[in-house]
Amino acid sequence: MGVPLRVLMIEDSEDDAALVLRELRRGDFDIQLERVDESSALESAFAKQSWDLIISDFSMPHFSGMDALRLLRSKGCERPFIFVSGTIGEETAVAALRDGAQDYLMKTNLKRLVPAVQRALREAEDRTNRKKMEQQVQQLQKFEAIGKLAGGIAHDFNNVIGAILGLAEMGCEDAQAGTVYHDRFQKIRDQANWAGRLTSQLLAFARRQILQPRKTDLNNLVVEGMSLLRRVIGEQIEVRVVAGPDLRAAMVDPAQIEQVIMNLCLNARDAMPHGGQLIIETQNIEIDQEYCRRHTYAREGNFVLLSVSDTGIGMDTATAERIFEPFFTTKEMGKGTGLGLATVYGVVRQHEGFVHLYSEPGKGTTFRVYLPASSGTAEPRQPKRDEPIPKGTETILLAEDNEGLQEAAKEMLERLGYRVILASNGTEAVQVFTNNPGQIDLIILDVVMPKVSGPAAFSQMTAVRPDLRVLFSTGYTAEAASLNSLTEQGASVLQKPYSLKNLGQTVRTILDRPRTTFVTTEASEIRG
């Protein structure tokens, strides 16, 4: 069996076409051929299927090769086009090459046909690969620009949402259950939580979430996730889980990857409104240099692969190119935010993984998520507990430059029994601490503040008291990156917007554990 080759031949002579076909078969090609000799037949053949190669005579009674070339190029056909003629002259041949032909040769010298075809096919493949790489680079640049914008918006919103959420939670507690005021506060709280989830999704797309990676068994995540999702997915969809044996641990944030699994499965459900099959698979995989050459977004190494496939409606190329953009959706108005797959993309990229999408209209879709593999065994997950919010009586220095969030956080901490001292920027926080270094049990520092950033302020404070307890509050990783050395030493980070429960549990955990002696260097200032 030779190399498959689909050839569209524009030739009025059946004998000449047979000679060309015989020569191609001698070159070890397995030919699928269609011959046409007029424009209407050419258009019909072009619309009917995709061709690997076009071979054309130059001069025919009812049609010219140059007309055929211009027609195909005007329709966006970039496949190799070779003239095989008995009448073409040198000037005409040069004009044909200028208009987009790949080669020309005489019917009296068909020995050059196979080498010409092989070269044209190689060059076509190179052009296709180059175009794909350019598109991938452009898409990455576009996503990076959208991500920066989304991250900046989400950062500012988190402060506002945090204030609304905190005040609404306290309003719920203060208002008597069953009253209209309690109901209103509850609705405000619910809407704030919903807005917080939206900004969280924006930050995920922008790759500015704060991750807490650990060695994770992806098989367990899939099983746990599907136990919750089966009811939501519906009985009309058959769910099949194919768990890879001896699966390596993935170095990921379990909560974020749970979100990826959920979003992909819900997207698959929506693509199968009349039922179908959903398949979730895991396996170990190694990415080599050749794969990276063909996919510029990939990188070499060992990965854990999560595949989510459906037998749904699929999507065309234009849709697939935009599917990871935030707020892009094929669903009708009110049926989705367009952030689900954008979140998947951002979370996976932030984990230094990548996503490959394959889809065809009417034939379903497969998302292949590659996550970095880790050595050693997976860490057990801590069970989630619903416990009362712990309280205390210690003194806390709270430094937050957003007035609304500062007020809400102060009230929440005082409600839990703590004594709170306020500062509106890093410089003020350092001054307050320096005046009372022995009285302050914990400092809560916003990372981005005017004059002096949270990390820089903490560095100055630890020069006075190295075992100072600290909690940094932050909106996204561009800020949190400055905390890497401190978090490695045990500093805690609380992501905005935070609830009364999150704040109370985090503060109590820090206060109850042994003190850590921090070794700090003068941190670079991050100005808001």
Side-chain angles (χ1 to χ4, degrees), residues 151-161 402 476:
I153 292 171
H155 165 253
D156 292 335
F157 274 23
N158 271 336
N159 284 328
V160 177
I161 294 167
N402 182 278
Y476 64 120

Side-chain angles (χ1 to χ4, degrees), residues 88-118:
I88 192 168
E90 186 174 338
E91 288 186 11
T92 308
V94 170
L97 294 175
R98 190 168 52 241
D99 284 350
Q102 271 62 52
D103 210 338
Y104 69 93
L105 55 149
M106 306 302 291
K107 291 181 178 179
T108 55
N109 186 21
L110 289 181
K111 289 181 180 179
R112 203 169 69 81
L113 177 62
V114 170
V117 168
Q118 291 171 335

